[in-house]
PDB file of all heavy atoms in Angstrom:
ATOM      1  N   GLU W   1      -0.644  13.097 -11.138  1.00 64.00           N
ATOM      2  CA  GLU W   1      -1.599  12.007 -11.166  1.00 64.00           C
ATOM      3  C   GLU W   1      -1.184  10.817 -10.317  1.00 64.00           C
ATOM      4  O   GLU W   1      -1.959   9.893 -10.135  1.00 64.00           O
ATOM      5  CB  GLU W   1      -1.793  11.511 -12.598  1.00 64.00           C
ATOM      6  CG  GLU W   1      -2.395  12.497 -13.541  1.00 64.00           C
ATOM      7  CD  GLU W   1      -2.517  11.950 -14.933  1.00 64.00           C
ATOM      8  OE1 GLU W   1      -2.112  10.807 -15.167  1.00 64.00           O
ATOM      9  OE2 GLU W   1      -3.023  12.681 -15.787  1.00 64.00           O
ATOM     10  N   HIS W   2       0.044  10.826  -9.851  1.00 73.00           N
ATOM     11  CA  HIS W   2       0.568   9.651  -9.173  1.00 73.00           C
ATOM     12  C   HIS W   2       1.121  10.000  -7.814  1.00 73.00           C
ATOM     13  O   HIS W   2       1.584  11.129  -7.598  1.00 73.00           O
ATOM     14  CB  HIS W   2       1.684   9.007  -9.965  1.00 73.00           C
ATOM     15  CG  HIS W   2       1.260   8.501 -11.305  1.00 73.00           C
ATOM     16  ND1 HIS W   2       1.261   9.325 -12.403  1.00 73.00           N
ATOM     17  CD2 HIS W   2       0.892   7.310 -11.712  1.00 73.00           C
ATOM     18  CE1 HIS W   2       0.866   8.633 -13.443  1.00 73.00           C
ATOM     19  NE2 HIS W   2       0.656   7.414 -13.071  1.00 73.00           N
ATOM     20  N   ALA W   3       1.087   9.054  -6.928  1.00 82.00           N
ATOM     21  CA  ALA W   3       1.834   9.144  -5.671  1.00 82.00           C
ATOM     22  C   ALA W   3       2.796   7.931  -5.673  1.00 82.00           C
ATOM     23  O   ALA W   3       2.416   6.866  -6.136  1.00 82.00           O
ATOM     24  CB  ALA W   3       0.898   9.082  -4.475  1.00 82.00           C
ATOM     25  N   LEU W   4       3.976   8.144  -5.187  1.00 86.00           N
ATOM     26  CA  LEU W   4       4.936   7.040  -5.070  1.00 86.00           C
ATOM     27  C   LEU W   4       5.054   6.730  -3.595  1.00 86.00           C
ATOM     28  O   LEU W   4       5.442   7.613  -2.798  1.00 86.00           O
ATOM     29  CB  LEU W   4       6.296   7.440  -5.632  1.00 86.00           C
ATOM     30  CG  LEU W   4       7.402   6.420  -5.399  1.00 86.00           C
ATOM     31  CD1 LEU W   4       7.089   5.080  -6.110  1.00 86.00           C
ATOM     32  CD2 LEU W   4       8.755   6.935  -5.883  1.00 86.00           C
ATOM     33  N   ILE W   5       4.657   5.535  -3.206  1.00 88.00           N
ATOM     34  CA  ILE W   5       4.702   5.102  -1.806  1.00 88.00           C
ATOM     35  C   ILE W   5       5.884   4.150  -1.628  1.00 88.00           C
ATOM     36  O   ILE W   5       6.074   3.254  -2.407  1.00 88.00           O
ATOM     37  CB  ILE W   5       3.391   4.385  -1.418  1.00 88.00           C
ATOM     38  CG1 ILE W   5       2.191   5.319  -1.626  1.00 88.00           C
ATOM     39  CG2 ILE W   5       3.439   3.889   0.015  1.00 88.00           C
ATOM     40  CD1 ILE W   5       0.879   4.604  -1.559  1.00 88.00           C
ATOM     41  N   THR W   6       6.665   4.408  -0.593  1.00 91.00           N
ATOM     42  CA  THR W   6       7.751   3.527  -0.244  1.00 91.00           C
ATOM     43  C   THR W   6       7.419   2.869   1.082  1.00 91.00           C
ATOM     44  O   THR W   6       7.215   3.543   2.074  1.00 91.00           O
ATOM     45  CB  THR W   6       9.092   4.295  -0.117  1.00 91.00           C
ATOM     46  OG1 THR W   6       9.327   4.959  -1.359  1.00 91.00           O
ATOM     47  CG2 THR W   6      10.230   3.312   0.126  1.00 91.00           C
ATOM     48  N   LEU W   7       7.338   1.541   1.037  1.00 91.00           N
ATOM     49  CA  LEU W   7       6.998   0.780   2.240  1.00 91.00           C
ATOM     50  C   LEU W   7       8.189  -0.028   2.728  1.00 91.00           C
ATOM     51  O   LEU W   7       8.935  -0.558   1.902  1.00 91.00           O
ATOM     52  CB  LEU W   7       5.848  -0.183   1.922  1.00 91.00           C
ATOM     53  CG  LEU W   7       4.568   0.461   1.432  1.00 91.00           C
ATOM     54  CD1 LEU W   7       3.718  -0.537   0.704  1.00 91.00           C
ATOM     55  CD2 LEU W   7       3.814   1.133   2.551  1.00 91.00           C
ATOM     56  N   LYS W   8       8.334  -0.108   4.011  1.00 92.00           N
ATOM     57  CA  LYS W   8       9.439  -0.872   4.602  1.00 92.00           C
ATOM     58  C   LYS W   8       8.989  -1.364   5.976  1.00 92.00           C
ATOM     59  O   LYS W   8       8.317  -0.669   6.705  1.00 92.00           O
ATOM     60  CB  LYS W   8      10.701   0.020   4.723  1.00 92.00           C
ATOM     61  CG  LYS W   8      11.947  -0.736   5.063  1.00 92.00           C
ATOM     62  CD  LYS W   8      13.153   0.138   4.863  1.00 92.00           C
ATOM     63  CE  LYS W   8      13.819   0.350   6.187  1.00 92.00           C
ATOM     64  NZ  LYS W   8      15.069   1.108   6.055  1.00 92.00           N
ATOM     65  N   ALA W   9       9.366  -2.569   6.336  1.00 93.00           N
ATOM     66  CA  ALA W   9       8.997  -3.180   7.605  1.00 93.00           C
ATOM     67  C   ALA W   9      10.238  -3.694   8.306  1.00 93.00           C
ATOM     68  O   ALA W   9      11.230  -4.021   7.647  1.00 93.00           O
ATOM     69  CB  ALA W   9       7.991  -4.274   7.418  1.00 93.00           C
ATOM     70  N   ASP W  10      10.182  -3.809   9.651  1.00 94.00           N
ATOM     71  CA  ASP W  10      11.320  -4.319  10.368  1.00 94.00           C
ATOM     72  C   ASP W  10      11.258  -5.845  10.522  1.00 94.00           C
ATOM     73  O   ASP W  10      12.236  -6.454  10.989  1.00 94.00           O
ATOM     74  CB  ASP W  10      11.497  -3.636  11.721  1.00 94.00           C
ATOM     75  CG  ASP W  10      10.265  -3.727  12.591  1.00 94.00           C
ATOM     76  OD1 ASP W  10       9.229  -4.238  12.122  1.00 94.00           O
ATOM     77  OD2 ASP W  10      10.322  -3.256  13.742  1.00 94.00           O
ATOM     78  N   LYS W  11      10.132  -6.442  10.142  1.00 95.00           N
ATOM     79  CA  LYS W  11      10.029  -7.894  10.146  1.00 95.00           C
ATOM     80  C   LYS W  11       9.175  -8.323   8.932  1.00 95.00           C
ATOM     81  O   LYS W  11       8.551  -7.505   8.276  1.00 95.00           O
ATOM     82  CB  LYS W  11       9.415  -8.424  11.447  1.00 95.00           C
ATOM     83  CG  LYS W  11       8.057  -7.912  11.737  1.00 95.00           C
ATOM     84  CD  LYS W  11       7.595  -8.433  13.114  1.00 95.00           C
ATOM     85  CE  LYS W  11       6.250  -7.821  13.449  1.00 95.00           C
ATOM     86  NZ  LYS W  11       5.760  -8.307  14.726  1.00 95.00           N
ATOM     87  N   PHE W  12       9.191  -9.595   8.625  1.00 96.00           N
ATOM     88  CA  PHE W  12       8.492 -10.147   7.447  1.00 96.00           C
ATOM     89  C   PHE W  12       6.991  -9.869   7.549  1.00 96.00           C
ATOM     90  O   PHE W  12       6.351 -10.080   8.578  1.00 96.00           O
ATOM     91  CB  PHE W  12       8.716 -11.645   7.368  1.00 96.00           C
ATOM     92  CG  PHE W  12       8.085 -12.303   6.211  1.00 96.00           C
ATOM     93  CD1 PHE W  12       8.546 -12.128   4.926  1.00 96.00           C
ATOM     94  CD2 PHE W  12       6.949 -13.111   6.375  1.00 96.00           C
ATOM     95  CE1 PHE W  12       7.923 -12.721   3.837  1.00 96.00           C
ATOM     96  CE2 PHE W  12       6.332 -13.703   5.307  1.00 96.00           C
ATOM     97  CZ  PHE W  12       6.822 -13.517   4.024  1.00 96.00           C
ATOM     98  N   VAL W  13       6.424  -9.374   6.435  1.00 95.00           N
ATOM     99  CA  VAL W  13       4.976  -9.144   6.352  1.00 95.00           C
ATOM    100  C   VAL W  13       4.474  -9.933   5.152  1.00 95.00           C
ATOM    101  O   VAL W  13       4.886  -9.738   4.017  1.00 95.00           O
ATOM    102  CB  VAL W  13       4.674  -7.638   6.155  1.00 95.00           C
ATOM    103  CG1 VAL W  13       3.182  -7.388   6.023  1.00 95.00           C
ATOM    104  CG2 VAL W  13       5.260  -6.797   7.256  1.00 95.00           C
ATOM    105  N   ARG W  14       3.541 -10.838   5.442  1.00 96.00           N
ATOM    106  CA  ARG W  14       2.999 -11.735   4.392  1.00 96.00           C
ATOM    107  C   ARG W  14       1.736 -11.172   3.789  1.00 96.00           C
ATOM    108  O   ARG W  14       0.829 -10.739   4.502  1.00 96.00           O
ATOM    109  CB  ARG W  14       2.729 -13.093   5.000  1.00 96.00           C
ATOM    110  CG  ARG W  14       2.153 -14.096   3.994  1.00 96.00           C
ATOM    111  CD  ARG W  14       2.218 -15.500   4.528  1.00 96.00           C
ATOM    112  NE  ARG W  14       1.525 -16.462   3.732  1.00 96.00           N
ATOM    113  CZ  ARG W  14       1.965 -16.875   2.545  1.00 96.00           C
ATOM    114  NH1 ARG W  14       3.104 -16.414   2.068  1.00 96.00           N
ATOM    115  NH2 ARG W  14       1.286 -17.730   1.833  1.00 96.00           N
ATOM    116  N   ALA W  15       1.672 -11.194   2.476  1.00 95.00           N
ATOM    117  CA  ALA W  15       0.486 -10.820   1.698  1.00 95.00           C
ATOM    118  C   ALA W  15      -0.084  -9.468   2.142  1.00 95.00           C
ATOM    119  O   ALA W  15      -1.232  -9.336   2.510  1.00 95.00           O
ATOM    120  CB  ALA W  15      -0.591 -11.912   1.786  1.00 95.00           C
ATOM    121  N   LEU W  16       0.731  -8.453   2.026  1.00 95.00           N
ATOM    122  CA  LEU W  16       0.308  -7.102   2.385  1.00 95.00           C
ATOM    123  C   LEU W  16      -0.674  -6.603   1.344  1.00 95.00           C
ATOM    124  O   LEU W  16      -0.429  -6.653   0.136  1.00 95.00           O
ATOM    125  CB  LEU W  16       1.514  -6.195   2.432  1.00 95.00           C
ATOM    126  CG  LEU W  16       1.243  -4.739   2.858  1.00 95.00           C
ATOM    127  CD1 LEU W  16       0.795  -4.687   4.330  1.00 95.00           C
ATOM    128  CD2 LEU W  16       2.481  -3.893   2.660  1.00 95.00           C
ATOM    129  N   ALA W  17      -1.840  -6.133   1.809  1.00 94.00           N
ATOM    130  CA  ALA W  17      -2.859  -5.621   0.916  1.00 94.00           C
ATOM    131  C   ALA W  17      -3.046  -4.122   1.250  1.00 94.00           C
ATOM    132  O   ALA W  17      -3.233  -3.740   2.381  1.00 94.00           O
ATOM    133  CB  ALA W  17      -4.190  -6.351   1.132  1.00 94.00           C
ATOM    134  N   LEU W  18      -2.999  -3.301   0.216  1.00 94.00           N
ATOM    135  CA  LEU W  18      -3.166  -1.863   0.351  1.00 94.00           C
ATOM    136  C   LEU W  18      -4.525  -1.433  -0.164  1.00 94.00           C
ATOM    137  O   LEU W  18      -5.030  -2.009  -1.099  1.00 94.00           O
ATOM    138  CB  LEU W  18      -2.072  -1.129  -0.449  1.00 94.00           C
ATOM    139  CG  LEU W  18      -0.632  -1.481  -0.143  1.00 94.00           C
ATOM    140  CD1 LEU W  18       0.274  -0.747  -1.135  1.00 94.00           C
ATOM    141  CD2 LEU W  18      -0.282  -1.090   1.271  1.00 94.00           C
ATOM    142  N   SER W  19      -5.055  -0.390   0.453  1.00 92.00           N
ATOM    143  CA  SER W  19      -6.278   0.216  -0.068  1.00 92.00           C
ATOM    144  C   SER W  19      -6.288   1.714   0.371  1.00 92.00           C
ATOM    145  O   SER W  19      -5.530   2.102   1.264  1.00 92.00           O
ATOM    146  CB  SER W  19      -7.540  -0.482   0.437  1.00 92.00           C
ATOM    147  OG  SER W  19      -7.609  -0.452   1.830  1.00 92.00           O
ATOM    148  N   ILE W  20      -7.151   2.502  -0.251  1.00 90.00           N
ATOM    149  CA  ILE W  20      -7.276   3.922   0.073  1.00 90.00           C
ATOM    150  C   ILE W  20      -8.687   4.144   0.510  1.00 90.00           C
ATOM    151  O   ILE W  20      -9.643   4.016  -0.279  1.00 90.00           O
ATOM    152  CB  ILE W  20      -6.921   4.793  -1.142  1.00 90.00           C
ATOM    153  CG1 ILE W  20      -5.489   4.492  -1.608  1.00 90.00           C
ATOM    154  CG2 ILE W  20      -7.080   6.274  -0.781  1.00 90.00           C
ATOM    155  CD1 ILE W  20      -5.130   5.156  -2.901  1.00 90.00           C
ATOM    156  N   ASP W  21      -8.885   4.453   1.775  1.00 90.00           N
ATOM    157  CA  ASP W  21     -10.210   4.697   2.351  1.00 90.00           C
ATOM    158  C   ASP W  21     -10.896   5.848   1.689  1.00 90.00           C
ATOM    159  O   ASP W  21     -10.243   6.863   1.333  1.00 90.00           O
ATOM    160  CB  ASP W  21     -10.128   4.958   3.830  1.00 90.00           C
ATOM    161  CG  ASP W  21      -9.938   3.690   4.670  1.00 90.00           C
ATOM    162  OD1 ASP W  21     -10.077   2.596   4.103  1.00 90.00           O
ATOM    163  OD2 ASP W  21      -9.620   3.804   5.865  1.00 90.00           O
ATOM    164  N   GLY W  22     -12.189   5.754   1.463  1.00 84.00           N
ATOM    165  CA  GLY W  22     -12.962   6.863   0.958  1.00 84.00           C
ATOM    166  C   GLY W  22     -12.965   7.005  -0.563  1.00 84.00           C
ATOM    167  O   GLY W  22     -13.537   7.964  -1.080  1.00 84.00           O
ATOM    168  N   THR W  23     -12.333   6.091  -1.246  1.00 81.00           N
ATOM    169  CA  THR W  23     -12.353   6.167  -2.708  1.00 81.00           C
ATOM    170  C   THR W  23     -12.213   4.745  -3.290  1.00 81.00           C
ATOM    171  O   THR W  23     -11.555   3.906  -2.719  1.00 81.00           O
ATOM    172  CB  THR W  23     -11.237   7.078  -3.270  1.00 81.00           C
ATOM    173  OG1 THR W  23     -11.403   7.201  -4.679  1.00 81.00           O
ATOM    174  CG2 THR W  23      -9.859   6.568  -2.970  1.00 81.00           C
ATOM    175  N   GLU W  24     -12.850   4.577  -4.425  1.00 82.00           N
ATOM    176  CA  GLU W  24     -12.654   3.325  -5.190  1.00 82.00           C
ATOM    177  C   GLU W  24     -11.974   3.661  -6.509  1.00 82.00           C
ATOM    178  O   GLU W  24     -11.754   2.764  -7.316  1.00 82.00           O
ATOM    179  CB  GLU W  24     -14.017   2.636  -5.384  1.00 82.00           C
ATOM    180  CG  GLU W  24     -14.587   2.136  -4.090  1.00 82.00           C
ATOM    181  CD  GLU W  24     -15.834   1.331  -4.310  1.00 82.00           C
ATOM    182  OE1 GLU W  24     -16.121   0.917  -5.441  1.00 82.00           O
ATOM    183  OE2 GLU W  24     -16.566   1.129  -3.312  1.00 82.00           O
ATOM    184  N   ASP W  25     -11.664   4.924  -6.731  1.00 84.00           N
ATOM    185  CA  ASP W  25     -11.083   5.378  -7.981  1.00 84.00           C
ATOM    186  C   ASP W  25      -9.542   5.469  -7.810  1.00 84.00           C
ATOM    187  O   ASP W  25      -8.990   6.540  -7.692  1.00 84.00           O
ATOM    188  CB  ASP W  25     -11.644   6.728  -8.363  1.00 84.00           C
ATOM    189  CG  ASP W  25     -11.087   7.267  -9.648  1.00 84.00           C
ATOM    190  OD1 ASP W  25     -10.667   6.437 -10.495  1.00 84.00           O
ATOM    191  OD2 ASP W  25     -11.053   8.519  -9.822  1.00 84.00           O
ATOM    192  N   TYR W  26      -8.884   4.312  -7.791  1.00 89.00           N
ATOM    193  CA  TYR W  26      -7.438   4.300  -7.736  1.00 89.00           C
ATOM    194  C   TYR W  26      -6.896   3.025  -8.358  1.00 89.00           C
ATOM    195  O   TYR W  26      -7.590   2.047  -8.531  1.00 89.00           O
ATOM    196  CB  TYR W  26      -6.940   4.440  -6.319  1.00 89.00           C
ATOM    197  CG  TYR W  26      -7.324   3.292  -5.373  1.00 89.00           C
ATOM    198  CD1 TYR W  26      -6.471   2.207  -5.217  1.00 89.00           C
ATOM    199  CD2 TYR W  26      -8.496   3.322  -4.646  1.00 89.00           C
ATOM    200  CE1 TYR W  26      -6.830   1.154  -4.377  1.00 89.00           C
ATOM    201  CE2 TYR W  26      -8.866   2.290  -3.804  1.00 89.00           C
ATOM    202  CZ  TYR W  26      -7.995   1.220  -3.670  1.00 89.00           C
ATOM    203  OH  TYR W  26      -8.341   0.187  -2.845  1.00 89.00           O
TER     204      TYR W  26
END
């Protein structure tokens, strides 16, 4: 039922917003 996402950037990222295209059920 779950996915574990690991995010990492090489520079500062302000107010990162995630979404999944094609679905609102998440």
Side-chain angles (χ1 to χ4, degrees):
E1 295 179 358
H2 299 85
L4 174 63
I5 301 168
T6 303
L7 302 160
K8 191 168 117 175
D10 56 356
K11 59 183 176 179
F12 180 73
V13 179
R14 179 166 172 73
L16 183 67
L18 304 174
S19 61
I20 302 171
D21 283 347
T23 186
E24 293 186 16
D25 181 26
Y26 64 90

